[in-house]
Amino acid sequence: MESVTVKNHELIEDALEKVFSLKDRLKRLELGSFPRANQKRAVDALHYILSKLREGLELALSTPEKDANNEDRKLTEPLWNIHETIGSIYDFIEKLELSSTSHTPLGAIYLVEHLAEKVKAKIAPIICFHGKTFSHLTLNHILKLEGDIRKRLDHIVMFTIPATLRDDVLSYCLVTRELTLHVILTEENIDAPLLSTAADVLSSLMLGPAYLYALEKFLQTRRTPPSEVTPRLRIIAKTLKDEGYPEHLLTRLGSNSQAQNEGDEALQALKQRFKKTRAYYPPEQFNLEVPQLTSRILALTPPNEIVIPSKKETLPAQIPSIINAGWLVRKNHMNKIYEAFNAKKPEEKYQVKRRFNALIEKAIELSIIHKTLMEGPT
Amino acid sequence: MTVLSKKEILERIFTENENERLVITPLISKDQISASSVDVRLGTEFIITKRTKYSLLDPAQENIESEIEQYQEKIHVPFGEKLILRPHQLILGSTLEYIKLPRDLIGYVIGRSSWGRLGLIIATATLVNPGYTGTLTLELINLGEADIALYPGSRIAQLVIHELSEIEEGYMQKPLAKYVGSTGPEFSKIHKDKEWKTLTKQPP
């Protein structure tokens, strides 16, 4: 096989050019609006990485040029790695641009930040709508970082929601599965075959029946064979039934839902540990808040707070309660909303659905602001 | 028409009778309600004016809706950050609170004098109809000579509520009324008024 001569300086200069170009791009990003602190953190992290790359490349450029063939991997490998990292930074910046509020609905940003804070305070989530599937990747994983840099940037995680769900605020909650997967992968010792089930189980504990409804609807729109869908939904239904949720909320899956026994012990232990964290959404909270919030939506009022008439007080509603109330109205009472607006034609119904989604998004925002204002300066 | 007192406002907010219930949400503290009005806060969404090739906004003109949307742009200022209002600039904001008036109440939005003294004029369209449901769009103009920083969540205006002597058909009873259920500032829908064809002598 013919050997290929690689001129190191050419590769270094090329990499440096891309580093400068990326720095310019980051500057333009900074001049735009940064709606959330997490995006700013990610940009700062990228600036830091680029400055390290620049230092290394400039040092390499100052040493005499050597020719290398592809057998001399010691000389070429680091440079190819740098080029790969640079390519990944380009991809990451694309997603960062998509994560601004001009592209990403505010409800999604609030929801993910809130849920992330519940599962793990250290996560700085960045969210964008892209592609067809849910995913999460840490900046470390994307850039294959090592050593001190890795520790410093461990908390920046990019969550991706399928672009087709952009207008469906109630389905955003499926991102919980990515959050719980992230926690399980970083903090738990669960066997790989059980990972998916464990994430579904923890997501149900975090969101209640809303997770089941959202997942069922999402899987309906995909070509997933029923042999894969049904067992998954049954495990979630079983988890919710064990939690004490009434059967009529889980009817479509039958009251005799059976969970698989495989790995039950490990899952039970995981469930018990999770239920002691603040990410757990207890059914008592569901029973206390969801009926009132459902009535509020039917009265075309955002389901953002719980009214306590005896004390003449209001309290911000829990985010999972808002999502559950939204799902229950959507599944059972949407016709009442259409009637309230006298919407009969498909396009009129579509317009009403948009208002309904906006009402839920508004409720998420109001609940978070209400809580922040009640708590005062921290 | 009598103005509702603090006690009456609280009774209306916490009544179990849905037809009489006044919704102002979130109601973060009872201190928000003074003797005869409710303080409302600034929301997080705004509509700002852009410079475009369109120099004339003619409500009777065809396609005016898309022209208005090209002339204006919706932006979001997160809670905790600020928006700078330049001298003589007009922007549309909205109340953070979502309001629902029962059929026997009517509201007026008025600015707070503390802001007025800085040059900020709030809400030129002050009437809130009986049965109205949604956030209230505020027209914010800086009449002063210095920039003014606006913070979402700050108390920006007051809502004065009156009881009607006679109940009229509510805003919600009209199907898909223009601004019902809005959750942020809305672009002007003046082109939807019925009289434009008459005023411009177009065939009906």
Side-chain angles (χ1 to χ4, degrees), chain A residues 299 304-305 312 314 355 365, chain B residues 25 27 30 44 78 100 180:
Chain A
N304 57 295
E305 66 184 4
K312 291 198 171 174
T314 58
R355 293 187 195 201
E365 181 187 17
Chain B
T25 182
L27 188 68
K30 281 182 209 161
T44 55
K100 188 176 179 188
V180 161

Side-chain angles (χ1 to χ4, degrees), chain A residues 350-367:
Chain A
Y350 161 75
Q351 292 298 345
V352 171
K353 195 97 174 272
R354 280 186 61 186
R355 293 187 195 201
F356 168 80
N357 282 333
L359 209 62
I360 305 293
E361 275 200 59
K362 182 78 180 169
I364 294 170
E365 181 187 17
L366 290 181
S367 166

Side-chain angles (χ1 to χ4, degrees), chain A residues 34-37 101 106 110 295-296 298-302 304-305 307-309 311-314 340-343 348 351-352 355 358-359 362 365-366 369-370 372-374, chain B residues 7 10-11 13-14 16 18 23-28 30 41 43-45 76 78-79 81 94-98 100 133 135 153 172 175-181 183-184:
Chain A
F34 274 110
R36 312 299 292 169
T101 44
L106 198 57
Y110 277 125
S295 305
R296 279 175 76 99
L298 290 174
L300 305 176
T301 309
N304 57 295
E305 66 184 4
V307 179
I308 308 165
K311 290 185 183 171
K312 291 198 171 174
E313 268 180 16
T314 58
F341 283 99
N342 198 22
E348 288 170 352
Q351 292 298 345
V352 171
R355 293 187 195 201
L359 209 62
K362 182 78 180 169
E365 181 187 17
L366 290 181
I369 292 178
H370 189 161
T372 312
L373 283 169
M374 267 175 66
Chain B
K7 189 178 167 225
L10 281 169
E11 277 171 5
I13 289 174
F14 292 101
E16 292 194 2
E18 207 175 297
V23 177
I24 299 172
T25 182
L27 188 68
I28 291 152
K30 281 182 209 161
R41 296 170 191 272
T44 55
E45 275 187 77
H76 170 252
F79 186 70
E81 290 184 20
S94 77
T95 56
L96 181 72
E97 290 81 4
Y98 190 94
K100 188 176 179 188
T133 304
T135 55
M172 264 306 293
L176 287 168
K178 275 198 298 195
Y179 300 104
V180 161
T183 52

Side-chain angles (χ1 to χ4, degrees), chain A residues 261-302:
Chain A
N261 291 322
E262 197 185 323
D264 250 5
E265 215 171 285
L267 278 180
Q268 287 304 328
L270 180 67
K271 268 168 72 173
Q272 292 316 315
R273 280 197 298 280
F274 189 80
K275 283 170 78 167
K276 287 178 188 157
T277 68
R278 50 197 292 275
Y280 175 51
Y281 174 63
E284 296 76 34
Q285 201 74 35
F286 178 97
N287 295 333
L288 185 76
E289 296 191 347
V290 173
Q292 194 184 128
L293 298 181
T294 306
S295 305
R296 279 175 76 99
I297 301 174
L298 290 174
L300 305 176
T301 309

Side-chain angles (χ1 to χ4, degrees), chain A residues 212-225:
Chain A
L212 175 67
Y213 305 148
L215 186 64
E216 191 178 14
K217 183 172 180 288
F218 179 63
L219 293 177
Q220 274 170 4
T221 61
R222 299 172 68 81
R223 288 183 181 163
T224 321

Side-chain angles (χ1 to χ4, degrees), chain A residues 150 207 211 247 249 253 280 299:
Chain A
R150 188 180 174 87
L207 285 173
Y211 181 69
E247 292 207 3
L249 293 174
L253 293 141
Y280 175 51

